[in-house]
Amino acid sequence: MRNRTQFAEAKMAIEALVRIAEKTKDSVQLARAYFSFGMLEMDKSNPAEAILYYQKALEISQQMKQVKKQTIMLDYIGFAYVSLKEYPSAENYFKKGLKLAEQIKDKEMIGQFNMELATVEDMRKNFAKALQYNQKALDYSEGEAKKSTILLNRAIIYKNAGQFEQSEQTYQECLRLADKLNMDYLRGYVYINYPNTLIKLNRIDEAEKYAHKALAWSKNQPEKYRFYVEVYDILTRIAEHRNQYKEALNYHKEWVVARDSVTSFDKKQQLIEAETRFRTEEKELEIKRLDDENELKSRQFWWLLGGMSILVLLLGVAVVQYRTIRRGNQQLERTNRALSERNTMVSEQSEQLKNLMKELHHRVKNNLAIISSLLRLQSTRLEDEGAVRAVREGQQRVEAMSLIHQRLYESDNVTKVNMKEYIHDLVQGLFYAYGFKEENFDLEVDIVSVELDVEVAVPLGLIMNEIITNAFKHAFDQISKPSLSIILNETDQLHLEIKDNGPGIDMNAWKKPTGSFGKRLILLLSEQIGAILNVRNENGTRFDLIMPVQG
């Protein structure tokens, strides 16, 4: 079910396994269940939650003295910390796992932990140590397929370290292995990354040749536009290096088209949202029709019940008509059963429609989770900081919308979102994503319990995502005790207040008609839901959003 991104079904299966394991006191199966929970949370891009489940599985493995399983758990915990960019914690768990793997002389896990530690040191720009760990991983690798992955990472480390000759030789080794093993995906990633090394070596013609190979390979890939962004950037730089500015401009235009194709994801999500609202309205009308029909049948039932009461009274004064009345009562009973069966059928139909709506929200949530995972995966290999930021911001917007649909399919109300629960989840996710700690951060979240229709909840969630993300990114760099306050209250209107204690916003830049994509998105969505937005500096930046209360 996880492979099919059917996360709700996967969760139900794991919960069933937990119940069986607890009933039978089977620690092995209980550890497996917690491990599966952790993997499910990683699929849903929740590494912090995954760590909690992995830790439970690790504790059981330690109690049972299963050293091999302990090494596996330590590897998964370390990888989750890498996803959170908590490199000291990741290194700690990888080294613990390496020590255990060496004790039991497990070559596969020794190689795996050395490769993980190489990745950590590369992220820290400790390239010498990264290469040492990478070499150890190669020494312990068994099989050319495993070796090829390690070599690709080694070529990238060499390039990052400025050792371009060694990087070029390693890329050539990767290409030989890709041809030998027919590994098309490895070949494609070499085509995309190899030109960066060749440019540094001033081998411009070769760099151009591999860039065009990367372009041809990308055309057949599902994520081709994300690859186009990297390839056209390389071709633009090559043309500039040759002073071919007209050609460089043409490549840059292609780069803009590819970038816009990637960023058009938000518009596609708006179409998905509109389709969801349309389907929701259709189902609500069908449910109302069935409810009206059910009410009519109920009135008919009470009319018949009243008739039965009259017949019972007549029975006491009309003994002569006893058999006639008896036959009438039998007929009424048959009618009553038929009505009861019809009522049951109508109730079942209503429940089916409700389940259909939940399934619809569930599928939308799954699709958004897939897109979020793809964006996260791509961001780890991008070198251009602007592209990394754009991909990560897009991923956060996707996750903000994904939370809405998760709330809808987990609740009995399939058209309204509990904003108190949703905002708490959104803020907590962003808080941990940007690496803040509770002990040195003053976070106040005061949300009134209110339910909003999905067509208001989604834009409001995206507005909050943009404002809070901007605060975490820019407001607290020079602040010793960061503070963020988020308040939503309701009187005759809904009032949302978000305030930080940063250096404040450039009001002159804010008032200009142009600006960043995030600013334009906030203004557009505020207008869409009929809200009034006020921004001012007040010992930091304060956003006030006032919108009408829904009926």
Side-chain angles (χ1 to χ4, degrees):
M1 293 300 177
R2 282 181 44 248
N3 292 339
R4 298 174 183 175
T5 66
Q6 296 176 353
F7 296 141
E9 292 86 345
K11 182 180 179 183
M12 291 172 61
I14 300 171
E15 289 172 343
L17 179 58
V18 169
R19 290 193 295 270
I20 294 171
E22 290 177 342
K23 184 177 180 180
T24 59
K25 298 181 180 179
D26 188 336
S27 298
V28 173
Q29 295 296 344
L30 187 59
R32 180 176 297 176
Y34 287 138
F35 175 62
S36 297
F37 266 131
M39 295 181 71
L40 181 62
E41 292 300 327
M42 286 298 291
D43 288 343
K44 294 159 63 178
S45 300
N46 296 326
E49 290 294 325
I51 289 171
L52 298 178
Y53 287 116
Y54 288 151
Q55 289 283 10
K56 291 182 180 180
L58 176 62
E59 290 174 5
I60 295 174
S61 300
Q62 290 171 337
Q63 293 169 3
M64 301 181 68
K65 298 182 179 180
Q66 296 175 322
V67 181
K68 172 68 174 181
K69 290 186 177 180
Q70 290 177 43
T71 62
I72 295 172
M73 288 300 99
L74 290 167
D75 183 31
Y76 276 85
I77 294 172
F79 181 76
Y81 274 113
V82 170
S83 299
L84 291 170
K85 301 192 183 304
E86 293 284 347
Y87 300 126
S89 298
E91 179 187 23
N92 180 44
Y93 280 99
F94 288 146
K95 286 187 175 180
K96 285 182 180 179
L98 178 60
K99 184 176 180 180
L100 287 179
E102 290 172 343
Q103 289 177 6
I104 61 176
K105 299 179 180 180
D106 189 326
K107 290 185 177 180
E108 179 183 2
M109 292 307 297
I110 292 173
Q112 180 68 24
F113 281 117
N114 277 289
M115 188 170 67
E116 304 283 24
L117 287 166
T119 299
V120 170
E121 296 302 335
D122 185 33
M123 296 295 185
R124 291 168 159 176
K125 302 187 184 304
N126 296 331
F127 303 121
K129 292 183 67 175
L131 290 169
Q132 291 175 7
Y133 282 125
N134 186 270
Q135 183 58 52
K136 289 181 181 178
L138 281 172
D139 294 340
Y140 282 96
S141 65
E142 295 181 350
E144 292 181 317
K146 182 69 174 178
K147 182 180 179 181
S148 65
T149 302
I150 300 172
L151 283 173
L152 178 61
N153 288 330
R154 187 174 186 85
I156 294 172
I157 295 171
Y158 273 137
K159 190 269 294 182
N160 293 339
Q163 300 180 32
F164 304 121
E165 294 288 348
Q166 295 91 330
S167 176
E168 192 270 341
Q169 294 172 10
T170 309
Y171 276 126
Q172 286 294 335
E173 178 67 17
C174 289
L175 286 175
R176 285 192 291 271
L177 286 173
D179 292 337
K180 180 179 179 181
L181 303 175
N182 196 24
M183 297 176 66
D184 184 65
Y185 214 68
L186 173 63
R187 189 183 295 112
Y189 267 97
V190 172
Y191 289 161
I192 290 173
N193 289 279
Y194 192 13
N196 291 310
T197 295
L198 292 171
I199 290 172
K200 294 294 185 180
L201 292 170
N202 203 31
R203 291 161 60 178
I204 305 303
D205 292 342
E206 292 180 64
E208 183 181 28
K209 180 184 73 172
Y210 281 102
H212 282 292
K213 287 186 176 183
L215 197 62
W217 176 82
S218 300
K219 290 178 180 178
N220 299 319
Q221 305 306 315
E223 292 293 303
K224 61 181 179 180
Y225 290 110
R226 301 193 188 283
F227 294 135
Y228 285 169
V229 170
E230 296 185 52
V231 177
Y232 281 121
D233 176 66
I234 293 170
L235 290 170
T236 301
R237 286 188 281 124
I238 290 173
E240 289 175 342
H241 187 273
R242 293 170 169 169
N243 297 324
Q244 298 172 347
Y245 297 113
K246 183 177 180 180
E247 188 174 358
L249 178 60
N250 290 332
Y251 282 134
H252 181 72
K253 289 179 180 178
E254 294 292 344
W255 177 86
V256 170
V257 171
R259 181 202 60 187
D260 290 345
S261 296
V262 173
T263 55
S264 68
F265 167 77
D266 290 332
K267 295 181 180 178
K268 293 180 181 178
Q269 294 312 303
Q270 291 176 2
L271 291 176
I272 293 172
E273 179 190 341
E275 182 180 355
T276 302
R277 286 201 302 269
F278 174 72
R279 298 298 182 190
T280 301
E281 291 171 358
E282 279 190 333
K283 299 307 178 184
E284 285 179 342
L285 290 173
E286 181 64 14
I287 291 171
K288 185 178 184 302
R289 185 186 67 79
L290 291 173
D291 286 342
D292 291 342
E293 185 177 327
N294 186 45
E295 184 180 355
L296 176 60
K297 299 302 180 183
S298 296
R299 287 199 299 269
Q300 292 175 348
F301 170 77
W302 287 110
W303 292 340
L304 291 171
L305 185 61
M308 287 178 61
S309 300
I310 294 172
L311 288 173
V312 170
L313 291 174
L314 292 174
L315 182 62
V317 296
V319 177
V320 179
Q321 299 177 356
Y322 169 73
R323 290 187 178 182
T324 304
I325 295 173
R326 182 180 178 183
R327 287 195 297 268
N329 285 341
Q330 290 174 346
Q331 180 61 38
L332 287 172
E333 288 175 358
R334 287 194 294 270
T335 304
N336 185 30
R337 285 196 299 271
L339 288 172
S340 179
E341 291 172 356
R342 174 60 69 87
N343 288 338
T344 300
M345 183 177 67
V346 171
S347 297
E348 290 174 352
Q349 291 175 342
S350 178
E351 186 64 23
Q352 288 173 359
L353 290 173
K354 185 176 181 180
N355 290 336
L356 284 174
M357 286 303 302
K358 286 191 175 183
E359 177 64 15
L360 180 61
H361 288 303
H362 183 198
R363 289 180 183 274
V364 173
K365 168 65 172 63
N366 287 347
N367 289 336
L368 293 175
I370 293 172
I371 294 168
S372 176
S373 297
L374 290 173
L375 290 173
R376 175 174 57 83
L377 178 63
Q378 184 61 27
S379 69
T380 62
R381 284 305 179 190
L382 292 175
E383 296 184 354
D384 182 80
E385 287 298 321
V388 171
R389 285 195 300 273
V391 171
R392 288 180 179 169
E393 289 170 357
Q395 180 189 0
Q396 289 169 356
R397 295 181 184 117
V398 170
E399 291 177 349
M401 291 186 292
S402 178
L403 275 176
I404 293 286
H405 293 283
Q406 178 176 335
R407 284 292 171 194
L408 288 170
Y409 81 73
E410 288 180 347
S411 69
D412 288 331
N413 191 332
V414 295
T415 61
K416 289 183 179 292
V417 180
N418 186 312
M419 295 306 294
K420 184 172 185 178
E421 296 175 353
Y422 167 69
I423 293 174
H424 275 282
D425 288 351
L426 176 65
V427 174
Q428 186 181 37
L430 291 173
F431 184 83
Y432 287 116
Y434 282 93
F436 289 99
K437 305 291 185 181
E438 294 180 358
E439 57 267 22
N440 59 5
F441 197 103
D442 185 9
L443 179 63
E444 177 187 4
V445 182
D446 185 7
I447 309 299
V448 70
S449 182
V450 61
E451 291 187 341
L452 298 180
D453 287 335
V454 66
E455 61 262 33
V456 175
V458 170
L460 183 59
L462 287 172
I463 291 171
M464 295 186 65
N465 178 76
E466 293 298 324
I467 295 174
I468 297 170
T469 296
N470 192 62
F472 284 150
K473 286 169 57 180
H474 304 297
F476 305 128
D477 290 344
Q478 306 298 325
I479 305 301
S480 60
K481 183 66 174 179
S483 173
L484 181 65
S485 170
I486 303 166
I487 300 172
L488 178 65
N489 54 50
E490 177 183 11
T491 52
D492 56 335
Q493 293 179 314
L494 280 176
H495 180 202
L496 173 66
E497 175 190 307
I498 303 177
K499 185 179 183 302
D500 62 59
N501 66 339
I505 192 172
D506 185 348
M507 293 304 299
N508 290 329
W510 176 265
K511 293 176 181 179
K512 291 181 179 179
T514 58
S516 67
F517 176 80
K519 170 191 168 183
R520 286 179 283 140
L521 184 61
I522 291 171
L523 296 175
L524 177 63
L525 294 176
S526 298
E527 181 180 358
Q528 178 181 323
I529 60 177
I532 299 173
L533 176 66
N534 292 314
V535 184
R536 64 179 182 274
N537 288 323
E538 184 180 296
N539 296 323
T541 305
R542 172 171 173 170
F543 288 83
D544 287 284
L545 195 71
I546 300 172
M547 67 198 85
V549 176
Q550 294 180 307

